[in-house]
């Protein structure tokens, strides 16, 4: 997907929680809710060191995200792609994402209260997109 339709781009910038899917080393699926950021090329997700999803990405190198609404009109974006573990997340990124999801005051407080958490980035580079309820569907 090269250019995103305006409504799809707006949807990806909204604070929708995503379901992050990865594969355990034994082949069983693992799904967990995540906050994300999309920079136009890839999705960035925060993860604690030692989290199941981080180990799965390290082992398999693939992941999927399902971002969806829970109210009408239903819309969803499902992305499958390569996944890699990135650098530790700094507090600037963490605060920006927390403010996006929680609002200015609560987001800043959350970032301040969790500043010492050891988290790293997971980068998901989309290979395959599926959208429902958008101009591009």
């Amino acid at each position: 997907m090269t250019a995103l339709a305006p409504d799809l781009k707006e949807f990806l910038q909204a604070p929708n929680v995503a379901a992050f899917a990865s594969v355990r080393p034994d082949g069983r699926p693992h799904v967990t809710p995540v906050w994300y950021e999309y920079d136009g090329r890839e999705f960035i997700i925060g993860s604690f060191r030692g989290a199941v999803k981080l180990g799965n990405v390290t082992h398999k190198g693939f992941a999927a995200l399902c971002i969806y609404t829970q109210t009408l009109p239903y819309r969803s974006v499902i992305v499958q792609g390569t996944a890699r573990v990135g650098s530790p997340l700094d507090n600037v990124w963490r605060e920006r994402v927390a403010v996006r999801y929680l609002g200015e005051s609560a987001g800043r407080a959350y970032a301040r209260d969790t500043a010492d958490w050891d988290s790293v980035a997971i980068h998901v580079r989309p290979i395959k997109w599926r959208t429902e309820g958008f101009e591009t569907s």
Side-chain angles (χ1 to χ4, degrees), residues 27-73:
R28 291 180 301 133
H30 178 259
V31 180
T32 188
V34 295
W35 291 351
Y36 71 89
E37 185 173 60
Y38 181 66
D39 69 4
R41 293 175 316 144
E42 61 187 10
F43 292 86
I44 301 102
I45 296 100
S47 176
F48 298 115
R49 292 191 195 272
V52 172
K53 66 181 172 281
L54 191 66
N56 295 344
V57 165
T58 300
H59 183 75
K60 294 288 187 179
F62 292 97
L65 289 168
C66 179
I67 306 157
Y68 57 95
T69 59
Q70 296 185 24
T71 57
L72 291 172

Side-chain angles (χ1 to χ4, degrees), residues 6 70 79 109 113 115 136-137:
Q70 296 185 24
V79 174
D113 293 346
T136 59
S137 297

Side-chain angles (χ1 to χ4, degrees), residues 1 38 41-43 79-82 124-129:
M1 179 172 283
Y38 181 66
R41 293 175 316 144
E42 61 187 10
F43 292 86
V79 174
Q80 298 174 23
T82 58
V124 178
R125 175 84 41 126
I127 294 173
K128 184 176 180 182
W129 292 75

